[in-house]
Amino acid sequence: MLAINTAFMTANLALQTSDGKIVLRDIDAKSKHSENVLKTIDEMCQETNTNILDVGTVAVVVGPGSFTGLRIGTAVAKALGCVNENLKFVGMSSLELMAYAVSKHKMCDTDFVCALNALSGLYFVAYFSKNGIKLQNERMIGQDEFLAIKKPIFGLVGDLRDERVTEFEIKCQDMLDFANEAEKAEKFVSMEELLPMYLRLSQAEDNLLKKNKKD
């Protein structure tokens, strides 16, 4: 199992071999994910004496999150699929991963919300039960709706900067555990179905849309 999370500022990578060896890596937020993800995966394979062709499943966080990060994660997974036709794919929601960590570490004893900063006064959110079960699909909301949330809110360290938000970090082991549970439940998708979950237009697309409306 290879698990990849490039949706956030800090990337998480986890490799679990068939004989139970586990290697976990965080890529610092100041590093370029595009330059370091494949390099780090190669180093992890060397450390465990693993041939990348022997990996049976790659689980990747598909979003919502950083536009560039999501593209990098899915592109790496698909590149591996091009050289390993037997590779299985799992697409993981970033907000579901966050909720899994909240539930696993018993950070909340009631229904709660996981949220990410979508910039420009917008937020990616999803509602979950205290057991981490998704009650409402991921969506994007504005600031007024975000401020009106009454449930406990959980976000990543330094992302939302709101005193109502309980901040925490995603650990590589939590991502790997979440990926393993998805694999066990056979939540596989095809390579064609492994697509970024953007939930919003990029700034360039939004600017182009506004320009076209004016024209």
Side-chain angles (χ1 to χ4, degrees):
M1 161 71 78
L2 173 65
I4 303 171
N5 174 26
T6 53
F8 310 140
M9 289 293 292
T10 298
N12 312 116
L13 299 172
L15 177 64
Q16 180 175 306
T17 66
S18 57
D19 59 359
K21 294 179 183 177
I22 295 176
V23 180
L24 307 173
R25 291 286 188 275
D26 288 321
I27 299 179
D28 186 81
K30 296 180 182 179
S31 301
K32 292 184 178 180
H33 296 346
S34 59
E35 297 177 0
N36 290 284
V37 171
L38 279 173
K39 175 184 175 182
T40 304
I41 291 173
D42 183 57
E43 292 172 351
M44 294 164 72
C45 287
Q46 292 183 38
E47 184 174 335
T48 57
N49 196 29
T50 299
N51 188 320
I52 193 64
L53 296 178
D54 293 330
V55 173
T57 300
V58 58
V60 57
V61 175
V62 297
S66 160
F67 278 67
T68 302
L70 301 183
R71 287 193 288 268
I72 292 170
T74 53
V76 167
K78 290 185 176 185
L80 296 176
C82 288
V83 297
N84 182 357
E85 62 181 15
N86 295 317
L87 190 64
K88 295 181 179 179
F89 300 94
V90 172
M92 302 184 293
S93 159
S94 55
L95 294 173
E96 285 188 33
L97 171 59
M98 291 169 62
Y100 174 83
V102 170
S103 177
K104 175 184 174 182
H105 297 291
K106 303 186 186 308
M107 289 188 263
C108 192
D109 59 3
T110 186
D111 294 354
F112 61 92
V113 174
C114 284
L116 291 168
N117 189 349
L119 304 179
S120 302
L122 299 171
Y123 304 84
F124 300 128
V125 300
Y127 284 70
F128 298 88
S129 73
K130 65 179 181 180
N131 297 320
I133 298 173
K134 188 164 62 175
L135 303 175
Q136 193 179 94
N137 285 335
E138 298 88 346
R139 61 194 181 98
M140 187 174 67
I141 63 174
Q143 190 166 32
D144 289 345
E145 188 173 353
F146 180 75
L147 293 174
I149 294 175
K150 303 300 182 184
K151 303 288 186 183
I153 305 172
F154 289 84
L156 300 178
V157 172
D159 183 45
L160 296 172
R161 303 186 184 281
D162 186 307
E163 61 182 13
R164 299 177 304 145
V165 176
T166 300
E167 296 185 334
F168 70 106
E169 294 181 346
I170 292 294
K171 304 295 185 181
C172 286
Q173 186 63 58
D174 292 334
M175 179 188 63
L176 179 60
D177 291 344
F178 184 57
N180 278 326
E181 288 200 6
E183 181 185 42
K184 185 177 180 180
E186 298 185 347
K187 295 182 178 181
F188 300 118
V189 297
S190 68
M191 186 188 297
E192 293 72 23
E193 294 171 322
L194 192 69
L195 299 171
M197 184 194 302
Y198 292 129
L199 294 188
R200 65 168 296 180
L201 298 175
S202 68
Q203 189 63 53
E205 290 170 324
D206 188 47
N207 290 340
L208 180 60
L209 183 63
K210 290 178 180 177
K211 180 178 182 300
N212 289 338
K213 285 184 177 179
K214 288 181 180 179
D215 293 342

